[in-house]
Amino acid sequence: SQQGEEDPQALSIQEGENATMNCSYKTSINNLQWYRQNSGRGLVHLILIRSNEREKHSGRLRVTLDTSKKSSSLLITASRAADTASYFCATDAPRNSGGSNYKLTFGKGTLLTVNP
Amino acid sequence: SQTIHQWPATLVQPVGSPLSLECTVEGTSNPNLYWYRQAAGRGLQLLFYSVGIGQISSEVPQNLSASRPQDRQFILSSKKLLLSDSGFYLCAWGTGKPYEQYFGPGTRLTVT
């Protein structure tokens, strides 16, 4: 079953604006990660947030995690045309929830378009 | 530093033909290896993963198989391709802890 679901499916903004993408999941998690995929390319890991963390920053990226709502958000500040890509969240579940140390479950992604 | 290679980058194959996609990782030992498939505009579907040589776990029953003949080599195969096998195939590696995965450039497979 699909664990992560991103929202919105597509987002179009102007350069310089902030972009916010959301991810919801169904079961308890160990960690939640965000990945980026440029068209026709492999995924690139952006940031990982652990289940006991609430917020994490990396450059222009800010990730929040609300385990009570089973949701996460990715904020990209001062967006650039080069940020145009699909963004995916991925979760790994604790072993007592049927997870393993090895598998991630990805959502369907948000397609972000940043217009110059 | 670690690198991951996939080939070929693009492949067009007729229905019923065999398939072999190869993935190799450099710069790390005993990685966990993964094959994913991505349909157009969709998320990633985990097909197989391997935690060691000869150890393959299948996630979804289908027309594909995987093998890991060497520590840093992962192969995705099919004896007879179906139209529904078309898609973008991604290989990834990880160490299990931390939980990040690192992806290859992908193979675009079109079955005609």
Side-chain angles (χ1 to χ4, degrees), chain B residues 21-22 28-29 48 60-61 72 84 91 96 112:
Chain B
L21 302 181
E22 189 163 342
T28 186
S29 297
F48 301 95
V60 183
R72 288 169 288 180
S84 57
C91 180
T112 60

Side-chain angles (χ1 to χ4, degrees), chain A residues 30-31 33 35 37 40-43 45 48 50 88 92 100-104 106-108, chain B residues 32 34 36 38 41-44 46 49 51 59 88 90 96 99-101 103-105 108:
Chain A
N30 277 328
N31 309 278
Q33 303 177 50
Y35 288 79
Q37 183 182 33
R41 308 291 292 273
L43 278 72
H45 178 262
L48 178 150
R50 302 185 189 281
F88 296 87
D92 63 273
S100 76
N101 288 341
Y102 314 119
K103 296 190 293 183
L104 298 178
F106 286 82
K108 295 181 182 179
Chain B
N32 299 326
Y34 306 85
Y36 292 90
Q38 185 178 32
R42 302 294 299 273
L44 276 69
L46 179 62
Y49 70 95
V51 300
E59 288 296 295
F88 191 49
L90 288 158
Y99 302 94
E100 296 93 338
Q101 292 183 12
F103 286 79
R108 176 77 57 193

Side-chain angles (χ1 to χ4, degrees), chain B residues 7-30:
Chain B
W7 64 91
T10 306
L11 193 58
V12 180
Q13 293 281 100
V15 168
S17 64
L19 172 74
S20 181
L21 302 181
E22 189 163 342
C23 171
T24 59
V25 180
E26 296 176 357
T28 186
S29 297
N30 196 31

Side-chain angles (χ1 to χ4, degrees), chain B residues 2 27 39 50 55 58 69 74 77 91 94:
Chain B
Q2 300 89 0
S50 170
Q55 300 179 62
S58 174
F74 206 21
S77 304
C91 180

